[in-house]
Amino acid sequence: MRFLLAEDDDYLARALAQGLGSRGYAVDAARSGKEAIQALSDSEYDLLILDLGLPEVDGSQILRLLRERGSTLPVIIITARDAVQDRIAGLDLGANDYLTKPFDFGELEARIRAILRKNVWGNRMEIHCGLLRFVLNTKEVFVGGEVCEFTPRESAVLEMLLSRAGRLVPKKALVEHLASWEEAPSDNAMEIVIHRLRRKLCTAGVEISTVRGFGYLLRESQ
Ligand code: CA
């Protein structure tokens, strides 16, 4: 999952990017409204975390622009503006959620999980495929009842493949969703992740096929 974080407070931006990064989310940080608009037109994101008080272009203007263009990108507003009127205005502009600063990181995470659960997984809490069970909140993976350990990156790749189980996931899309501006996984690194996933899931009743030149496809073994 790849997020855009539009926040001009350096300290908060860094702390959030680091915290979310350690949970396996790829985070690009934009420090101004202009930067955020540029990033949104350059890359595809799964979520926008949006401060309202941004230099150059205000967060609410960005949100209005996004929705006018028909974008369905989930948006969480994080802002110091805590008047009820501001919250109503933000949600009515098309935000999915609203957090007032200062907020607890755990609460932001939970709200992110709730939004992604609804958007990507239709409110399901667990994904079953073959003998594999993927718990969305905790990212725990069980194979035939046994816990299976994954690195954050392996887990992120598995989650994306599972979200499109039975369909081809282009390698480019996979790399883009995992990449943040600072560290894009190379093609080779992606192949290593897939190799490790196959090894760890060899008894899970699922297979990850490589469609050469295009990408990967996860499905239940025949
Ligand atoms: Ca601000």
Side-chain angles (χ1 to χ4, degrees), residues 150-169:
F150 293 94
T151 64
R153 179 165 280 177
E154 288 165 3
S155 172
V157 171
L158 177 62
E159 187 173 343
M160 181 143 178
L161 291 174
L162 278 170
S163 75
R164 304 187 190 183
R167 284 180 290 157
L168 177 68
V169 181

Side-chain angles (χ1 to χ4, degrees), residues 23 25 106 109-118 121 123-127 133-142 155 159:
R23 301 295 196 270
Y25 300 117
E109 271 192 288
R111 287 172 187 248
I112 289 171
R113 284 195 298 270
I115 286 178
L116 297 179
R117 202 158 58 224
K118 178 164 182 296
W121 306 99
N123 278 337
R124 279 181 293 168
M125 302 293 283
E126 292 187 357
I127 306 304
R133 182 161 69 92
F134 188 86
V135 182
L136 290 165
N137 279 356
T138 58
K139 314 280 184 209
E140 281 173 302
V141 178
F142 297 88
S155 172
E159 187 173 343

Side-chain angles (χ1 to χ4, degrees), residues 87-120:
R87 294 205 291 273
I88 293 172
L91 292 167
D92 278 345
L93 267 180
N96 300 78
D97 211 337
Y98 195 106
L99 270 176
T100 305
K101 295 175 192 171
F103 53 81
D104 182 81
F105 182 69
E107 185 175 358
L108 173 66
E109 271 192 288
R111 287 172 187 248
I112 289 171
R113 284 195 298 270
I115 286 178
L116 297 179
R117 202 158 58 224
K118 178 164 182 296
N119 262 45
V120 182

Side-chain angles (χ1 to χ4, degrees), residues 7-177:
E7 169 62 67
D8 62 324
D9 180 316
D10 232 29
Y11 178 78
L12 182 60
R14 229 176 286 165
L16 289 179
Q18 198 183 16
L20 294 169
S22 73
R23 301 295 196 270
Y25 300 117
V27 181
D28 292 341
R31 299 296 163 88
S32 72
K34 260 192 190 158
E35 248 182 77
I37 290 171
Q38 189 62 48
L40 287 165
S41 68
D42 287 349
S43 310
E44 231 185 273
Y45 293 100
D46 299 290
L47 180 79
L48 167 64
I49 302 171
L50 181 67
D51 177 27
L52 290 184
L54 284 173
E56 293 166 359
V57 186
D58 191 73
S60 50
Q61 263 174 279
I62 295 175
L63 183 54
R64 187 175 293 122
L65 208 73
L66 207 60
R67 295 304 184 230
E68 275 171 7
R69 289 178 184 164
S71 165
T72 58
L73 177 69
V75 176
I76 299 180
I77 288 175
I78 49 167
T79 179
R81 300 178 198 165
D82 66 345
V84 174
Q85 290 311 327
D86 289 320
R87 294 205 291 273
I88 293 172
L91 292 167
D92 278 345
L93 267 180
N96 300 78
D97 211 337
Y98 195 106
L99 270 176
T100 305
K101 295 175 192 171
F103 53 81
D104 182 81
F105 182 69
E107 185 175 358
L108 173 66
E109 271 192 288
R111 287 172 187 248
I112 289 171
R113 284 195 298 270
I115 286 178
L116 297 179
R117 202 158 58 224
K118 178 164 182 296
N119 262 45
V120 182
W121 306 99
N123 278 337
R124 279 181 293 168
M125 302 293 283
E126 292 187 357
I127 306 304
H128 296 255
C129 189
L131 301 173
L132 180 152
R133 182 161 69 92
F134 188 86
V135 182
L136 290 165
N137 279 356
T138 58
K139 314 280 184 209
E140 281 173 302
V141 178
F142 297 88
V143 173
E146 299 278 319
V147 182
C148 203
E149 301 285 345
F150 293 94
T151 64
R153 179 165 280 177
E154 288 165 3
S155 172
V157 171
L158 177 62
E159 187 173 343
M160 181 143 178
L161 291 174
L162 278 170
S163 75
R164 304 187 190 183
R167 284 180 290 157
L168 177 68
V169 181
K171 193 175 190 177
K172 190 164 166 278
L174 206 49
V175 169
E176 267 174 19
H177 277 267

